[in-house]
Amino acid sequence: MRTFWGLMRAYWFSDRWKEAWTLTLVIALLTALSSKAGVWFAMASGELVNSIAFFHDAANTNPLQTLLTNAGILMLLVVLKDAGFTGVRNLVSATLHRKWRGWLNSQFNKALLDGNHTHFHAQHGSVAGGIVAPDNIDQRIQESIKDMTGGAIGLAMGVLGVATSLYFVGENLIESSVEVKGLEFLGSYGSAVLAFLAVATYVPLNTWIAVKLGGLLERLNIRMQQAEGSYRSELITFLRRSFHVAASHGEDVQKTMHDRLYVDIDKTWGRLNVVNTSYMSFELIYNFIGARIVSYGPGLVPFIHNGFDLKGYITGSEMVAQLISQCSWFIHVMPAIATLRANSQRVTELANAVENVQQPQEFYRQTGRSDFSYAAQNPVFGLTIQKLELAHQGEDATPFLSAANLRFRRGEWTFLKGESGCGKTSLIKAINGLWPYGRGTIVFPEGVRSFYAAQEVKLQQVSLKQLVCLPGSENDHSDMQVAAALHKAGLGEFIEHLADESREGKIWDQVLSGGQKQKLVVARIILQQPGLLFLDEATGALDPEGKIAFHGAIKANCPDVTVISVMHEAVPPRSLSGEEFYHSVVAIADGVATKKPLVPTLPRELTTILAQPPRPAEDKWLRFRRLKQK
């Protein structure tokens, strides 16, 4: 789906090819019947005009009956053609549109939301590196795919209509053709040749004009989609941070930003309106000349020389008008073609972006250095990091963080410490394959499940149970298990709402406070029972008591978990009894990460003695010797 034609045919060669081809063949049949009905319509129109013209003719014994009969036949043909063939075809084509769009949508959802984190990597292009990330991915998936599929089906039906009309109308024109004075060498095909010549001259010339205007429409349509997408994206982002804008009284700045983005829409829209108006005027003039002058011209010469009677002349002219109308399909739909090409370009760009990041390191190597190696080892040895260097974009970028050798034992809790911006979060991103540039080896404990708890928790519009079961399915755990996890995390008051997607008309993202959202993370951790846990400022919204409860719940319910944590605090929290949650600290200073025990490890006996009230030195020494002997 990385090229226009590849995108157009993908659905018809997918696992749903039977559905696609069945609907397509039904549309083709109904289009052919509609074209044949057009020929019947032209003949019936000729009969009706003839009955009107000879209404008072002496040879016409039943003029009123003939007139009403021909009018009735014409009306039946209109109903058959427009309400029957064309109407049913519209329903079938709308069904094909719905099915095709649904299939394409599912393909892009699968591609973006795969285990490769494609949705994340695809947004990390670089203008400097010549790899531009696709803007407004949401718009491309929603609007561009919808408009592209609908436009393509309409255009395909138009092409089929041209082919069937050329066959049926051309056949009738040849059958009714007569000799034309001055063109006797053509024999009885004279009038048909004149008709085809008129169509072949008039339509291509105007099609060339339409193509030139269509190219301009296509470019403006692409620009309009980009401008609309940027404006909508900013509105969505603004609504998500509405509280922060209100708290900082940033409405004027936000308004200025919206006005600046809308200026681009307004200017592009104005140019698009001018081109659309010009095209509409061109099409109206073209239709009038084609239907009233060009179509009646070829039959005029044989009619003047009595080659045709009035009925034959009218019927033949209606046939030519029908032929011009069908062959002018390209002109009539040029704006739609421009929109189709614009939409397809947006979709193929996204498909290319998805494909380009299937090998993330190869993708990032185009704009910088990316040589990370990921392996697995016996879980007894825990997590190991060797010769790690993190950098920003650019081949010659100087590493901002390095770590020669870090080892995290099973069950060990490690606290990352350093100034803001030193690279604490970047380090755990790199461990999880979410940092693009640098090098190093990360060896995971084999078969151990990892869990990354970020500082911002975005809650989907789903049931509370599904939120707790993330990243798995709500079918993976029973209601009792989920309820127990919520209770242990301190959210027991919500247990009765497990199946609810909202509460009092609000989704859970609006119901839960910041602290409650982070308690929800605890519930997820307890339920998932990871062996390797990354906490990226996951307690930022909690008060000191809440942070202690957060860590205590994990300590009590996940006894063997290895924890690597980033927090704002200079000193990690302790339990209520004063016991340390963390065993070691990774300190980042001057771009170097080093690991050491959080406090010097002392013998248990010595720790016990030092905790006793002061006594004479001799008593202390004797007590220590006795304890050591025991």
Side-chain angles (χ1 to χ4, degrees), residues 323-597:
L323 192 61
I324 289 175
S325 176
Q326 292 295 337
C327 291
S328 301
W329 161 85
F330 195 77
I331 294 173
H332 297 322
V333 299
M334 181 54 68
I337 292 175
T339 302
L340 169 65
R341 288 181 60 84
N343 283 313
S344 64
Q345 181 175 328
R346 302 278 287 171
V347 177
T348 52
E349 283 175 355
L350 179 58
N352 276 287
V354 167
E355 195 67 26
N356 288 340
V357 299
Q358 291 310 297
Q359 299 296 328
Q361 290 199 52
E362 293 296 327
F363 170 71
Y364 291 122
R365 281 172 189 156
Q366 299 177 60
T367 53
R369 185 171 185 177
S370 183
D371 293 309
F372 295 104
S373 173
Y374 295 90
Q377 63 185 1
N378 191 303
V380 172
F381 300 108
L383 172 70
T384 304
I385 298 171
Q386 299 172 337
K387 298 179 181 179
L388 183 70
E389 290 183 350
L390 303 185
H392 294 293
Q393 191 179 95
E395 289 290 344
D396 301 325
T398 303
F400 63 85
L401 176 63
S402 63
N405 187 20
L406 300 177
R407 184 182 297 277
F408 303 90
R409 303 186 310 273
R410 183 170 60 181
E412 180 182 9
W413 286 44
T414 304
F415 173 62
L416 269 62
K417 180 180 180 180
E419 295 182 357
S420 180
C422 68
K424 299 186 294 293
T425 294
S426 301
L427 176 58
I428 61 174
K429 283 182 177 179
I431 295 173
N432 286 274
L434 298 175
W435 185 263
Y437 301 107
R439 66 175 182 173
T441 301
I442 297 96
V443 186
F444 281 89
E446 189 173 20
V448 173
R449 179 187 301 175
S450 64
F451 189 103
Y452 190 119
Q455 68 184 87
E456 287 190 28
V457 183
K458 300 297 183 184
L459 303 180
Q460 297 86 347
Q461 191 170 349
V462 293
S463 70
L464 179 60
K465 181 181 179 181
Q466 177 64 81
L467 291 174
V468 181
C469 292
L470 288 174
S473 165
E474 60 183 345
N475 298 322
D476 296 340
H477 305 277
S478 67
D479 288 356
M480 186 175 295
Q481 289 174 316
V482 176
L486 283 172
H487 176 74
K488 292 173 182 178
L491 295 174
E493 69 266 30
F494 296 109
I495 289 175
E496 62 186 58
H497 302 286
L498 282 181
D500 298 343
E501 293 186 3
S502 61
R503 189 175 178 190
E504 298 178 355
K506 295 181 179 180
I507 61 173
W508 288 106
D509 190 36
Q510 298 168 333
V511 172
L512 300 179
S513 66
Q516 288 173 329
K517 290 176 184 178
Q518 294 189 332
K519 288 180 180 179
L520 182 64
V521 172
V522 178
R524 291 171 58 197
I525 293 169
I526 293 172
L527 190 65
Q528 299 295 335
Q529 288 292 302
L532 189 56
L533 175 61
F534 300 91
L535 301 176
D536 186 3
E537 299 184 12
T539 59
L542 297 173
D543 56 22
E545 292 77 13
K547 292 175 183 179
I548 293 173
F550 182 100
H551 287 80
I554 297 174
K555 196 81 169 180
N557 294 282
C558 305
D560 295 324
V561 65
T562 301
V563 178
I564 301 175
S565 176
V566 175
M567 288 184 288
H568 284 302
E569 292 80 356
V571 178
R574 297 179 179 182
S575 68
L576 293 174
S577 63
E579 183 182 355
E580 295 282 1
F581 288 119
Y582 290 88
H583 308 101
S584 57
V585 59
V586 170
I588 301 176
D590 299 324
V592 179
T594 54
K595 182 172 178 284
K596 59 184 179 180

Side-chain angles (χ1 to χ4, degrees), residues 53-108:
F54 293 95
F55 187 84
H56 298 292
D57 191 281
N60 193 349
T61 55
N62 297 302
L64 183 60
Q65 180 181 349
T66 303
L67 178 64
L68 293 176
T69 300
N70 289 331
I73 292 173
L74 188 62
M75 287 298 298
L76 286 174
L77 286 172
V78 168
V79 173
L80 178 65
K81 179 177 181 295
D82 294 338
F85 301 145
T86 305
V88 174
R89 184 186 68 169
N90 181 70
L91 177 61
V92 178
S93 66
T95 302
L96 178 60
H97 181 196
R98 178 169 57 85
K99 299 288 187 180
W100 185 14
R101 181 200 174 186
W103 181 81
L104 274 175
N105 185 74
S106 68
Q107 296 306 301
F108 276 98

Side-chain angles (χ1 to χ4, degrees), residues 176-454:
S176 61
S177 181
V178 297
E179 186 178 286
V180 178
K181 189 173 182 180
L183 299 175
E184 289 84 0
F185 64 93
L186 295 174
S188 61
Y189 296 110
S191 64
V193 170
L194 283 178
F196 290 135
L197 186 61
V199 174
T201 303
Y202 184 66
V203 175
L205 176 62
N206 287 277
T207 299
W208 179 81
I209 298 173
V211 168
K212 294 297 182 183
L213 291 172
L216 184 56
L217 282 172
E218 178 184 344
R219 291 190 292 275
L220 288 173
N221 266 299
I222 293 174
R223 185 71 198 96
M224 190 68 173
Q225 287 190 31
Q226 291 172 338
E228 292 276 12
S230 297
Y231 187 56
R232 185 182 67 178
S233 179
E234 177 55 36
L235 285 174
I236 293 172
T237 305
F238 154 65
L239 292 174
R240 287 176 179 169
R241 62 171 186 254
S242 178
F243 168 76
H244 302 287
V245 173
S248 61
H249 298 281
E251 283 81 3
D252 287 342
V253 175
Q254 189 71 42
K255 179 179 177 296
T256 302
M257 190 185 306
H258 289 176
D259 290 342
R260 185 173 67 249
L261 289 172
Y262 193 79
V263 165
D264 195 17
I265 293 176
D266 189 65
K267 288 182 178 178
T268 307
W269 198 358
R271 293 178 61 194
L272 193 59
N273 286 343
V274 171
V275 178
N276 275 324
T277 301
S278 301
Y279 197 92
M280 182 187 70
S281 301
F282 157 74
E283 190 175 5
L284 289 172
I285 295 171
Y286 171 83
N287 289 340
F288 176 79
I289 294 175
R292 292 292 175 264
I293 298 176
V294 178
S295 60
Y296 280 81
L300 187 60
V301 176
F303 176 70
I304 291 173
H305 293 92
N306 294 318
F308 280 140
D309 57 10
L310 179 61
K311 173 186 173 182
Y313 176 51
I314 296 296
T315 302
S317 298
E318 287 292 323
M319 291 286 183
V320 176
Q322 180 84 3
L323 192 61
I324 289 175
S325 176
Q326 292 295 337
C327 291
S328 301
W329 161 85
F330 195 77
I331 294 173
H332 297 322
V333 299
M334 181 54 68
I337 292 175
T339 302
L340 169 65
R341 288 181 60 84
N343 283 313
S344 64
Q345 181 175 328
R346 302 278 287 171
V347 177
T348 52
E349 283 175 355
L350 179 58
N352 276 287
V354 167
E355 195 67 26
N356 288 340
V357 299
Q358 291 310 297
Q359 299 296 328
Q361 290 199 52
E362 293 296 327
F363 170 71
Y364 291 122
R365 281 172 189 156
Q366 299 177 60
T367 53
R369 185 171 185 177
S370 183
D371 293 309
F372 295 104
S373 173
Y374 295 90
Q377 63 185 1
N378 191 303
V380 172
F381 300 108
L383 172 70
T384 304
I385 298 171
Q386 299 172 337
K387 298 179 181 179
L388 183 70
E389 290 183 350
L390 303 185
H392 294 293
Q393 191 179 95
E395 289 290 344
D396 301 325
T398 303
F400 63 85
L401 176 63
S402 63
N405 187 20
L406 300 177
R407 184 182 297 277
F408 303 90
R409 303 186 310 273
R410 183 170 60 181
E412 180 182 9
W413 286 44
T414 304
F415 173 62
L416 269 62
K417 180 180 180 180
E419 295 182 357
S420 180
C422 68
K424 299 186 294 293
T425 294
S426 301
L427 176 58
I428 61 174
K429 283 182 177 179
I431 295 173
N432 286 274
L434 298 175
W435 185 263
Y437 301 107
R439 66 175 182 173
T441 301
I442 297 96
V443 186
F444 281 89
E446 189 173 20
V448 173
R449 179 187 301 175
S450 64
F451 189 103
Y452 190 119

